[in-house]
Amino acid sequence: TCMGNGTSVRTDRYRYNEWGGPEQAELYDHETDPRELRNLAKDPKYKDVVAELSALIKGGWKAALTTQ
């Protein structure tokens, strides 16, 4: 999803948003936080998830289709 300067990607478990780049990111775990109340993007435990989802955004929607 793209809106203004924001881009979002959703997997079965996570929603990841970048607002102008990864330095202003949001990561939500829908398994434990379905209402998206706790941003996990800066939590070191989720750095690999952030990197993976950020790469999906950078690759564009066509590239994301081939990773599923």
Side-chain angles (χ1 to χ4, degrees), residues 9 16 18 21-22 49-59:
V9 64
Y16 177 73
E18 283 187 4
V49 174
V50 168
E52 177 185 348
L53 298 179
S54 182
L56 282 178
I57 286 176
K58 286 173 183 54

Side-chain angles (χ1 to χ4, degrees), residues 1 4 9 18-19 21-22 24 29 32 46 53-54 56 58-59 68:
T1 306
V9 64
E18 283 187 4
W19 300 98
Q24 295 180 4
D29 183 343
T32 60
Y46 293 90
L53 298 179
S54 182
L56 282 178
K58 286 173 183 54
Q68 299 299 323

Side-chain angles (χ1 to χ4, degrees), residues 19-64:
W19 300 98
E23 61 282 344
Q24 295 180 4
E26 298 172 58
L27 175 68
Y28 301 102
D29 183 343
H30 281 232
E31 190 173 284
T32 60
D33 181 22
R35 294 178 54 209
E36 298 185 352
L37 299 175
R38 185 167 176 245
N39 182 1
L40 303 170
K42 302 242 188 270
D43 186 326
K45 292 188 298 187
Y46 293 90
K47 72 176 185 168
D48 292 339
V49 174
V50 168
E52 177 185 348
L53 298 179
S54 182
L56 282 178
I57 286 176
K58 286 173 183 54
W61 68 270
K62 289 181 183 178

